Amino acid sequence: MVRDGIGSQVLAEQDWVFNLDRVSFYNSNIKRIPEDMAPNCPTLSTLILCDCGLTMIPGPFFQYMNNLQVLDLSYNYELMDLPSCISNLESLRALSLRGCSGLKSVPPLGKLKNLRVLDVSGTGIEEVPQGMENLVKLKFLDMGRTGLDELPKEILPKLSHLQYLNLPEGVNAPVEDLASLELLEAFGGGFCDLHYFHKFMSSLHNYEKDLWYTILVGQVNIDRVFDGYIPKQRRVIVEDYTIEAATSIFLPHGIDFLQISKCHGLSSCFVDNFLSRTTSSRVLTCSIYGCDEIEWIVNVPSGRDTTTDPHCISFHRLDVYDLQNLVGLCKGKIASHTFSGLTELRIHNCNRMKKLFPRAMLQDLKNLEVLDVRRCDVMEEIIGREEVEGSSQSSSTSTTAHLPKLKRLNLMFLPELKSICEGKLMCDSLERMKFRKCPKLKRLPFYLWVFRGGRDNRKRGRRAKVLLTFLS
């Protein structure tokens, strides 16, 4: 029986015939379930009542559904209680209560020993469901976005078949218990400080585990991090946290995404805050917000050469927002692979930067596709002039520079911007440019070919014409 997306309706017991196997009311508006309704459906295996606006389920409703294996009650935001007969559904293999934010408690689950999937994320529960330690076949457990602030120590070691685990954000993840979950493939959870985070990462290395993870350190705004299930990424988010002196953040091997927000105690050079096993073969998406101590992303002191260092961070995407003391992206002899894999660069609200990057850095930006610079009050140059050796002066140059893969360029609210690039800038892949509130920018350096005729050249010629029309 499938009645998905149907308007207001009252469930009628005569519709629930004896030999029903699967029933779905997904995204329907169930106005009411009669208080004494108890459908006699002994062969029913799947029941989907997801996003149905349920406020109440009668006590006897599941009484004759002894073969039920999948029960989806997710996203019924006003559902306040569950009938106690759920505790007797011993054939149940999957129970989803995701997003039932009005639900404050769950009936005892100790009898549901066949349960493989339990999702209580986004509910209002404040205590771990009674009997959860008996769910020894459980493979998927999501308790994220709940009010839980404590996890009994005896639970996780007994759930040895777990493959997916998302812990409540208020719980300091128990490192020893996590290390015992040998089948774990995806993990989400938080650590109150870097000590426990480093301990967990060391345990992964020691056990040679390779898993997807979203790990939170400090006081993370969870609404900006979790938008559903744990993605197939390796993410570390450190937010609203004070890093003790001489303490570095250990980056695990294979990390995909790093976010550092509103942290204190950082070095003036961003990359100096990290120790890494990640080599140049792995590129990193990195977001940095509101860390006022950072002056450079990469700053190599004079006399030191890291151009051959394989353990320097290699960026894939770099978002830099609200760094009020940031002077520039890089300085000194940096490893070429640090920015050679960079495809997207966004710089917003960095009000000490006068020059985005030096001209010499262009050779490392061959893969840059998106450049977005906004609200940097003193920014004067995007690509700086060449430095004159032995002099503090910069020289003008008429040579041609290349950003061969650049597709999108946004320059917005830059009141002091005078130059994008001295000389000519070749951007053969450029598709879209957007300029706004850059009153001192008088010259565009782009060198574009517009072809006339020729089947092979029509597409490129048409694209250039569209671009020129947009600029006008």
PDB file of all heavy atoms in Angstrom, residues 7 46 73 103 123 130 178 212 236 269 329 362-363 368 393 434 450 464:
ATOM      1  N   GLY A   7      -2.717  14.448   0.658  1.00  0.00           N
ATOM      2  CA  GLY A   7      -3.123  15.488   1.599  1.00  0.00           C
ATOM      3  C   GLY A   7      -3.720  14.915   2.869  1.00  0.00           C
ATOM      4  O   GLY A   7      -3.604  13.722   3.168  1.00  0.00           O
ATOM      5  N   THR A  46       7.667  -3.716   6.287  1.00  0.00           N
ATOM      6  CA  THR A  46       8.170  -2.348   6.169  1.00  0.00           C
ATOM      7  C   THR A  46       7.028  -1.360   6.353  1.00  0.00           C
ATOM      8  O   THR A  46       5.994  -1.468   5.689  1.00  0.00           O
ATOM      9  CB  THR A  46       8.821  -2.116   4.786  1.00  0.00           C
ATOM     10  OG1 THR A  46       9.906  -3.017   4.613  1.00  0.00           O
ATOM     11  CG2 THR A  46       9.314  -0.686   4.647  1.00  0.00           C
ATOM     12  N   LEU A  73       9.917   6.486  11.199  1.00  0.00           N
ATOM     13  CA  LEU A  73       9.051   7.537  11.730  1.00  0.00           C
ATOM     14  C   LEU A  73       9.745   8.897  11.659  1.00  0.00           C
ATOM     15  O   LEU A  73       9.354   9.839  12.348  1.00  0.00           O
ATOM     16  CB  LEU A  73       8.681   7.223  13.189  1.00  0.00           C
ATOM     17  CG  LEU A  73       7.879   5.940  13.425  1.00  0.00           C
ATOM     18  CD1 LEU A  73       7.776   5.646  14.913  1.00  0.00           C
ATOM     19  CD2 LEU A  73       6.498   6.056  12.809  1.00  0.00           C
ATOM     20  N   LEU A 103      10.433  14.587  20.407  1.00  0.00           N
ATOM     21  CA  LEU A 103      10.504  13.321  21.127  1.00  0.00           C
ATOM     22  C   LEU A 103      11.551  13.407  22.235  1.00  0.00           C
ATOM     23  O   LEU A 103      12.734  13.615  21.960  1.00  0.00           O
ATOM     24  CB  LEU A 103      10.862  12.203  20.152  1.00  0.00           C
ATOM     25  CG  LEU A 103      10.625  10.760  20.583  1.00  0.00           C
ATOM     26  CD1 LEU A 103       9.156  10.504  20.850  1.00  0.00           C
ATOM     27  CD2 LEU A 103      11.137   9.815  19.510  1.00  0.00           C
ATOM     28  N   THR A 123      16.626  14.189  17.559  1.00  0.00           N
ATOM     29  CA  THR A 123      15.514  14.053  18.509  1.00  0.00           C
ATOM     30  C   THR A 123      15.822  14.866  19.759  1.00  0.00           C
ATOM     31  O   THR A 123      16.925  15.374  19.942  1.00  0.00           O
ATOM     32  CB  THR A 123      15.286  12.581  18.897  1.00  0.00           C
ATOM     33  OG1 THR A 123      16.446  12.083  19.596  1.00  0.00           O
ATOM     34  CG2 THR A 123      15.043  11.722  17.671  1.00  0.00           C
ATOM     35  N   GLN A 130      17.123   2.929  27.190  1.00  0.00           N
ATOM     36  CA  GLN A 130      17.366   1.802  28.095  1.00  0.00           C
ATOM     37  C   GLN A 130      17.536   0.507  27.301  1.00  0.00           C
ATOM     38  O   GLN A 130      16.796   0.234  26.364  1.00  0.00           O
ATOM     39  CB  GLN A 130      16.193   1.673  29.072  1.00  0.00           C
ATOM     40  CG  GLN A 130      16.369   0.602  30.127  1.00  0.00           C
ATOM     41  CD  GLN A 130      15.168   0.536  31.058  1.00  0.00           C
ATOM     42  OE1 GLN A 130      14.409   1.500  31.177  1.00  0.00           O
ATOM     43  NE2 GLN A 130      14.985  -0.589  31.725  1.00  0.00           N
ATOM     44  N   LEU A 178      36.375   3.628  21.329  1.00  0.00           N
ATOM     45  CA  LEU A 178      36.375   3.758  19.871  1.00  0.00           C
ATOM     46  C   LEU A 178      37.427   2.853  19.242  1.00  0.00           C
ATOM     47  O   LEU A 178      37.206   2.253  18.189  1.00  0.00           O
ATOM     48  CB  LEU A 178      36.634   5.208  19.469  1.00  0.00           C
ATOM     49  CG  LEU A 178      35.541   6.218  19.822  1.00  0.00           C
ATOM     50  CD1 LEU A 178      36.011   7.625  19.513  1.00  0.00           C
ATOM     51  CD2 LEU A 178      34.255   5.906  19.071  1.00  0.00           C
ATOM     52  N   TRP A 212      36.094   7.088   7.260  1.00  0.00           N
ATOM     53  CA  TRP A 212      35.578   8.431   7.044  1.00  0.00           C
ATOM     54  C   TRP A 212      35.261   9.022   8.408  1.00  0.00           C
ATOM     55  O   TRP A 212      34.748   8.328   9.286  1.00  0.00           O
ATOM     56  CB  TRP A 212      34.310   8.395   6.194  1.00  0.00           C
ATOM     57  CG  TRP A 212      34.440   7.652   4.908  1.00  0.00           C
ATOM     58  CD1 TRP A 212      33.822   6.476   4.579  1.00  0.00           C
ATOM     59  CD2 TRP A 212      35.236   8.009   3.771  1.00  0.00           C
ATOM     60  NE1 TRP A 212      34.183   6.081   3.310  1.00  0.00           N
ATOM     61  CE2 TRP A 212      35.062   7.012   2.798  1.00  0.00           C
ATOM     62  CE3 TRP A 212      36.087   9.085   3.497  1.00  0.00           C
ATOM     63  CZ2 TRP A 212      35.687   7.047   1.565  1.00  0.00           C
ATOM     64  CZ3 TRP A 212      36.718   9.124   2.268  1.00  0.00           C
ATOM     65  CH2 TRP A 212      36.511   8.120   1.320  1.00  0.00           C
ATOM     66  N   VAL A 236      38.219  17.568   9.854  1.00  0.00           N
ATOM     67  CA  VAL A 236      38.548  18.008  11.202  1.00  0.00           C
ATOM     68  C   VAL A 236      38.152  19.471  11.317  1.00  0.00           C
ATOM     69  O   VAL A 236      38.561  20.296  10.497  1.00  0.00           O
ATOM     70  CB  VAL A 236      40.045  17.833  11.506  1.00  0.00           C
ATOM     71  CG1 VAL A 236      40.381  18.406  12.888  1.00  0.00           C
ATOM     72  CG2 VAL A 236      40.437  16.356  11.453  1.00  0.00           C
ATOM     73  N   CYS A 269      52.099  32.422  11.500  1.00  0.00           N
ATOM     74  CA  CYS A 269      52.069  31.684  10.233  1.00  0.00           C
ATOM     75  C   CYS A 269      51.145  30.483  10.389  1.00  0.00           C
ATOM     76  O   CYS A 269      51.380  29.599  11.226  1.00  0.00           O
ATOM     77  CB  CYS A 269      53.474  31.238   9.837  1.00  0.00           C
ATOM     78  SG  CYS A 269      53.505  30.169   8.391  1.00  0.00           S
ATOM     79  N   LEU A 329      49.374  35.836   1.544  1.00  0.00           N
ATOM     80  CA  LEU A 329      49.257  34.383   1.472  1.00  0.00           C
ATOM     81  C   LEU A 329      50.574  33.693   1.759  1.00  0.00           C
ATOM     82  O   LEU A 329      50.626  32.726   2.531  1.00  0.00           O
ATOM     83  CB  LEU A 329      48.760  33.966   0.081  1.00  0.00           C
ATOM     84  CG  LEU A 329      47.293  34.179  -0.233  1.00  0.00           C
ATOM     85  CD1 LEU A 329      46.992  33.674  -1.632  1.00  0.00           C
ATOM     86  CD2 LEU A 329      46.414  33.460   0.777  1.00  0.00           C
ATOM     87  N   LEU A 362      52.622  32.920  -9.451  1.00  0.00           N
ATOM     88  CA  LEU A 362      51.768  32.538 -10.574  1.00  0.00           C
ATOM     89  C   LEU A 362      52.116  31.170 -11.140  1.00  0.00           C
ATOM     90  O   LEU A 362      51.250  30.424 -11.579  1.00  0.00           O
ATOM     91  CB  LEU A 362      51.853  33.582 -11.684  1.00  0.00           C
ATOM     92  CG  LEU A 362      51.006  34.842 -11.529  1.00  0.00           C
ATOM     93  CD1 LEU A 362      51.222  35.756 -12.708  1.00  0.00           C
ATOM     94  CD2 LEU A 362      49.534  34.485 -11.380  1.00  0.00           C
ATOM     95  N   GLN A 363      53.401  30.841 -11.139  1.00  0.00           N
ATOM     96  CA  GLN A 363      53.816  29.559 -11.712  1.00  0.00           C
ATOM     97  C   GLN A 363      53.251  28.372 -10.942  1.00  0.00           C
ATOM     98  O   GLN A 363      53.195  27.263 -11.461  1.00  0.00           O
ATOM     99  CB  GLN A 363      55.344  29.472 -11.734  1.00  0.00           C
ATOM    100  CG  GLN A 363      55.979  29.535 -10.354  1.00  0.00           C
ATOM    101  CD  GLN A 363      57.487  29.594 -10.416  1.00  0.00           C
ATOM    102  OE1 GLN A 363      58.067  29.440 -11.483  1.00  0.00           O
ATOM    103  NE2 GLN A 363      58.120  29.800  -9.270  1.00  0.00           N
ATOM    104  N   LEU A 368      44.401  26.921 -10.855  1.00  0.00           N
ATOM    105  CA  LEU A 368      43.397  27.776 -10.219  1.00  0.00           C
ATOM    106  C   LEU A 368      42.221  28.018 -11.169  1.00  0.00           C
ATOM    107  O   LEU A 368      42.400  28.472 -12.292  1.00  0.00           O
ATOM    108  CB  LEU A 368      44.032  29.112  -9.824  1.00  0.00           C
ATOM    109  CG  LEU A 368      43.151  30.041  -8.990  1.00  0.00           C
ATOM    110  CD1 LEU A 368      42.830  29.414  -7.635  1.00  0.00           C
ATOM    111  CD2 LEU A 368      43.823  31.391  -8.795  1.00  0.00           C
ATOM    112  N   GLN A 393      61.925  48.130  -3.662  1.00  0.00           N
ATOM    113  CA  GLN A 393      61.036  48.635  -4.704  1.00  0.00           C
ATOM    114  C   GLN A 393      60.506  47.502  -5.578  1.00  0.00           C
ATOM    115  O   GLN A 393      61.125  46.450  -5.699  1.00  0.00           O
ATOM    116  CB  GLN A 393      61.798  49.647  -5.577  1.00  0.00           C
ATOM    117  CG  GLN A 393      62.326  50.849  -4.805  1.00  0.00           C
ATOM    118  CD  GLN A 393      61.213  51.679  -4.210  1.00  0.00           C
ATOM    119  OE1 GLN A 393      60.194  51.914  -4.866  1.00  0.00           O
ATOM    120  NE2 GLN A 393      61.402  52.120  -2.972  1.00  0.00           N
ATOM    121  N   LYS A 434      33.107  39.124 -12.442  1.00  0.00           N
ATOM    122  CA  LYS A 434      32.150  39.985 -11.765  1.00  0.00           C
ATOM    123  C   LYS A 434      32.923  41.025 -10.969  1.00  0.00           C
ATOM    124  O   LYS A 434      33.756  40.681 -10.127  1.00  0.00           O
ATOM    125  CB  LYS A 434      31.247  39.164 -10.846  1.00  0.00           C
ATOM    126  CG  LYS A 434      30.104  39.959 -10.236  1.00  0.00           C
ATOM    127  CD  LYS A 434      29.154  39.034  -9.489  1.00  0.00           C
ATOM    128  CE  LYS A 434      27.949  39.797  -8.941  1.00  0.00           C
ATOM    129  NZ  LYS A 434      27.011  38.889  -8.238  1.00  0.00           N
ATOM    130  N   VAL A 450      39.542  36.558 -30.027  1.00  0.00           N
ATOM    131  CA  VAL A 450      38.206  36.356 -30.574  1.00  0.00           C
ATOM    132  C   VAL A 450      38.363  35.915 -32.013  1.00  0.00           C
ATOM    133  O   VAL A 450      38.881  36.641 -32.848  1.00  0.00           O
ATOM    134  CB  VAL A 450      37.367  37.649 -30.505  1.00  0.00           C
ATOM    135  CG1 VAL A 450      35.994  37.400 -31.101  1.00  0.00           C
ATOM    136  CG2 VAL A 450      37.253  38.111 -29.061  1.00  0.00           C
ATOM    137  N   ALA A 464      34.334  34.130 -25.846  1.00  0.00           N
ATOM    138  CA  ALA A 464      35.041  35.382 -25.645  1.00  0.00           C
ATOM    139  C   ALA A 464      34.121  36.574 -25.878  1.00  0.00           C
ATOM    140  O   ALA A 464      34.169  37.565 -25.171  1.00  0.00           O
ATOM    141  CB  ALA A 464      36.274  35.451 -26.553  1.00  0.00           C
TER     142      ALA A 464
END
